Amino acid sequence: MRFRVRVPAATRGTVVVTATAVTLLLGGCSQTPAEQLEEWYASGGEAQIKKLTEDAGRVNEVSMRTIDVQGPACQDLLAQTAKAEKLDPIPDEAAQRYWKEALGGFRRGAAECADGAAKNEEIQVSRGIRGVQTEGLPKLVSTVSMIKAGLAAGK
């Protein structure tokens, strides 16, 4: 069954442009998983990963130093973790799971370390740093591996 619609000559160009725009919008929404991952990575994901890696690495580096050095490093990591938690979820289920676990490990460890430093409690600081090292960093490494694999699959 065909329908005929009479469109005044003055508006025909507008109808064609509108129909084309709607078609492009509807068709443009379907990105591949690799494209979605690329978009997440390029729109802040890469920068957050680099900053978290730097801050967690710094906590690791100062692990054998004094509380006055450890506390600020843990506070910086805690602040960066809060920023990273505000990012949109990674559009890759496995990578998102590792990311969430990494951020949780960083948040718990850095908070315990910072709290211990404020109280001048060396054991608590050490326990927090160990959490960053054993819970956060390995999961961040797994996250990066999953992201790299997803990006490579799209190439």
Side-chain angles (χ1 to χ4, degrees):
M1 177 183 265
R2 293 180 79 176
F3 293 99
R4 291 187 90 153
V5 178
R6 291 198 83 119
V7 178
T11 59
R12 284 186 189 143
T14 305
V15 171
V16 171
V17 169
T18 303
T20 303
V22 168
T23 302
L24 287 173
L25 285 173
L26 292 175
C29 291
S30 60
Q31 290 180 308
T32 67
E35 289 170 335
Q36 291 172 349
L37 185 58
E38 175 83 35
E39 185 176 306
W40 179 89
Y41 192 69
S43 67
E46 178 183 24
Q48 286 295 335
I49 288 170
K50 284 182 179 181
K51 189 66 176 133
L52 276 173
T53 301
E54 290 169 10
D55 288 352
R58 186 167 147 238
V59 168
N60 191 45
E61 288 171 23
V62 302
S63 65
M64 301 305 288
R65 303 217 20 222
T66 57
I67 288 179
D68 63 314
V69 175
Q70 295 167 331
C74 291
Q75 289 171 345
D76 289 347
L77 177 58
L78 191 57
Q80 191 58 44
T81 300
K83 289 178 186 175
E85 288 174 325
K86 293 178 183 173
L87 279 179
D88 288 338
I90 300 173
D92 176 288
E93 193 175 312
Q96 176 60 28
R97 187 175 60 250
Y98 283 119
W99 177 247
K100 188 174 180 182
E101 290 173 6
L103 295 177
F106 289 148
R107 185 180 356 87
R108 287 185 299 277
E112 184 163 10
C113 170
D115 184 54
K119 297 181 208 171
N120 205 27
E121 293 285 336
E122 289 183 28
I123 292 173
Q124 186 178 356
V125 171
S126 294
R127 196 171 45 237
I129 290 173
R130 199 168 39 256
V132 169
Q133 294 169 329
T134 61
E135 294 178 41
L137 280 169
K139 297 298 182 178
L140 184 61
V141 169
S142 297
T143 302
V144 171
S145 294
M146 297 299 295
I147 290 171
K148 284 184 178 181
L151 292 174
K155 303 241 183 248

